Amino acid sequence: MNLPDLMLQIVYGRLAWALVAAALLLALLPVTARRTKVLIVAATVALMALPGPASPAYWLTLALQYPSGLLLGFAVMALRARWHGRQPRFAMRPGLALGLAAIGLLLYLDTFGVLALGLYYGGFNPVAAPLLACAAAVGFAVNAWRGHAAAPSAAMLMALLLFSVLRLPTGNLWDALLDPLLWSWALGSTIVAARRRLAGRRALHRQPAQATPDLVAARAVRAE
């Protein structure tokens, strides 16, 4: 088991939480000036860098663990989009959200001993985990280069490279791809996508019923 240095983990946690917080703030605040965006990012980095319990990152890590590399990647992509003036995307892509929600549920059930499959501890495997990460990184790099879901692919590539090169955030492959906050976001996005799809199906079922009076009126006109 090859774990990252504790000091490296602490630095990663402070910086990762700072970028995640900055991405959330810039997504919620109607900020357009680039200077203001830089100040917000700098302020969050300085706040998270405070020593010990004075840093919000200290308490966030106790409550939610370190941000996964994938959540950090999403934050960086969101900051990049806001820098170029694009509107934030609050809901995750449905396919990605469903996959992360399902994997997260399986892992959490395994971690709590409900399934007892040992999946989480497989993320520490010194051979299989790095090989899987490298293979996946190549695939996501190709996707990003071709422009297929470029932002999610780039975020996933960042997470896999952080794990492969620095073993961040914990030395476990699953922690590089999932964390409680990211799983909650994926679960919420899945619910939102399901509700939208259900509403769309209901709207399609209502269309024939709404078109019936028009059809009757048209036939009456023709009869006259």
Side-chain angles (χ1 to χ4, degrees):
M1 186 184 298
N2 186 13
L3 301 178
D5 183 79
L6 180 59
M7 183 55 64
L8 185 61
Q9 284 183 299
I10 294 174
V11 172
Y12 167 83
R14 300 297 173 89
L15 181 59
W17 277 122
L19 294 180
V20 169
L24 288 173
L25 286 173
L26 289 178
L28 297 173
L29 298 177
V31 178
T32 56
R34 287 190 170 184
R35 180 177 296 180
T36 306
K37 297 174 185 177
V38 172
L39 289 176
I40 289 175
V41 175
T44 56
V45 171
L47 183 63
M48 297 298 179
L50 292 175
S55 170
Y58 175 86
W59 302 103
L60 288 169
T61 301
L62 288 180
L64 300 171
Q65 306 173 0
Y66 291 121
S68 62
L70 184 55
L71 181 60
L72 174 60
F74 279 131
V76 171
M77 291 298 104
L79 289 172
R80 180 176 179 272
R82 293 293 287 140
W83 178 258
H84 291 288
R86 295 194 293 272
Q87 294 299 316
R89 182 187 179 98
F90 291 100
M92 196 181 296
R93 293 176 180 271
L96 179 60
L98 180 59
L100 289 176
I103 293 173
L105 179 61
L106 186 63
L107 282 170
Y108 289 135
L109 290 176
D110 177 57
T111 302
F112 295 143
V114 177
L115 298 179
L117 300 175
L119 294 176
Y120 178 77
Y121 297 102
F124 286 114
N125 191 292
V127 178
L131 287 177
L132 180 60
C134 291
V138 172
F140 285 111
V142 172
N143 278 347
W145 179 66
R146 292 181 176 178
H148 298 164
S153 295
M156 188 70 75
L157 178 61
M158 182 182 300
L160 293 169
L161 288 178
L162 278 172
F163 170 78
S164 300
V165 178
L166 300 175
R167 309 294 291 179
L168 290 172
T170 65
N172 188 297
L173 177 59
W174 296 118
D175 288 334
L177 302 177
L178 202 64
D179 61 77
L181 184 59
L182 180 61
W183 183 71
S184 300
W185 180 24
L187 186 61
S189 299
T190 301
I191 295 173
V192 170
R195 292 185 62 181
R196 287 177 178 174
R197 188 167 185 177
L198 182 60
R201 288 183 176 179
R202 288 178 178 175
L204 288 176
H205 287 307
R206 289 172 184 170
Q207 284 180 359
Q210 294 174 353
T212 301
D214 297 333
L215 181 58
V216 172
R219 288 178 177 175
V221 171
R222 290 180 182 177
E224 296 175 357

